[in-house]
Amino acid sequence: MAESSYYSKGEQMAWDDREIIAQFLCRDEAAIKNTADKYERYCGSIAYRILGNGEDVRECLNDTWLKLWESIPPTVPEILSAYVGKITRNLAINRYLDGLPSKKRQIFVRRYFYLDEIYQIAEHFHMTESAVKVGLHRMRKSLKIHLQKEGYHI
């Protein structure tokens, strides 16, 4: 009886992930193909719900595989599916934000990625705090509507 038959389905999947991570750590390019084979549908679904465009999804997935190659090592994820999904989600959101006008995108990123305070953003962009709050509210509302249309329940 093969060794893999002793594992439950979940343990076997975890073992496959450990093999893929080991390939990344050894800089074996097969890791990219194996990750894409295993997680393309999962990551594609995440990206499509945010981007809603097949071409953007394909580019996002290619960026995901590249980001994995660049980040493992030094990172060694405990749960590969969560790590790959998080990278895909972040890249898709960044791609979505790229569609915003530059100033709005910068304000959004400063607030929610760099965690700048409202007053800091207002000073940097020579705006009132009220204008920053209203702009952020509108961007959050727009993002929420977009994500809900794509099937996310927020």
Side-chain angles (χ1 to χ4, degrees):
M1 184 175 280
E3 182 178 80
S4 64
S5 65
Y6 290 109
Y7 295 104
S8 71
K9 186 175 181 180
E11 289 172 325
Q12 182 60 44
M13 289 191 318
W15 174 245
D16 292 344
D17 286 352
R18 287 193 296 269
E19 287 178 336
I20 292 170
I21 291 168
Q23 290 174 323
F24 275 109
L25 293 172
C26 292
R27 309 312 290 158
D28 180 349
E29 292 180 10
I32 296 169
K33 180 191 179 315
N34 293 335
T35 303
D37 288 347
K38 185 169 183 180
Y39 290 110
E40 184 171 21
R41 289 183 74 190
Y42 169 64
C43 294
S45 150
I46 292 169
Y48 188 80
R49 288 183 171 189
I50 294 170
L51 300 169
N53 175 311
E55 185 176 324
D56 286 343
V57 169
R58 283 187 293 282
E59 289 179 22
C60 183
L61 291 177
N62 287 333
D63 291 345
T64 297
W65 314 143
L66 176 62
K67 184 74 171 173
L68 279 169
W69 183 257
E70 293 171 345
S71 66
I72 305 174
T75 302
V76 181
E78 288 185 36
I79 303 171
L80 185 59
S81 60
Y83 189 70
V84 173
K86 180 179 177 181
I87 288 173
T88 303
R89 182 200 66 216
N90 289 344
L91 289 170
I93 289 172
N94 286 343
R95 187 174 284 274
Y96 173 79
L97 290 174
D98 284 345
L100 293 175
S102 177
K103 186 175 180 180
K104 287 183 177 183
R105 181 177 58 249
Q106 289 175 31
I107 290 170
F108 190 92
V109 168
R110 283 180 163 270
R111 180 66 177 146
Y112 299 112
F113 287 79
Y114 297 124
L115 305 176
D116 284 0
E117 297 292 334
I118 298 292
Y119 78 88
Q120 294 171 315
I121 296 168
E123 287 176 5
H124 181 81
F125 289 99
H126 308 290
M127 301 169 66
T128 65
E129 289 183 33
S130 178
V132 171
K133 289 178 185 176
V134 168
L136 287 168
H137 173 75
R138 289 178 180 161
M139 285 184 271
R140 282 192 316 270
K141 184 177 178 183
S142 172
L143 180 59
K144 180 180 179 180
I145 290 167
H146 176 77
L147 292 174
Q148 285 174 333
K149 283 181 184 176
E150 299 303 328
Y152 284 95
H153 301 287
I154 300 174

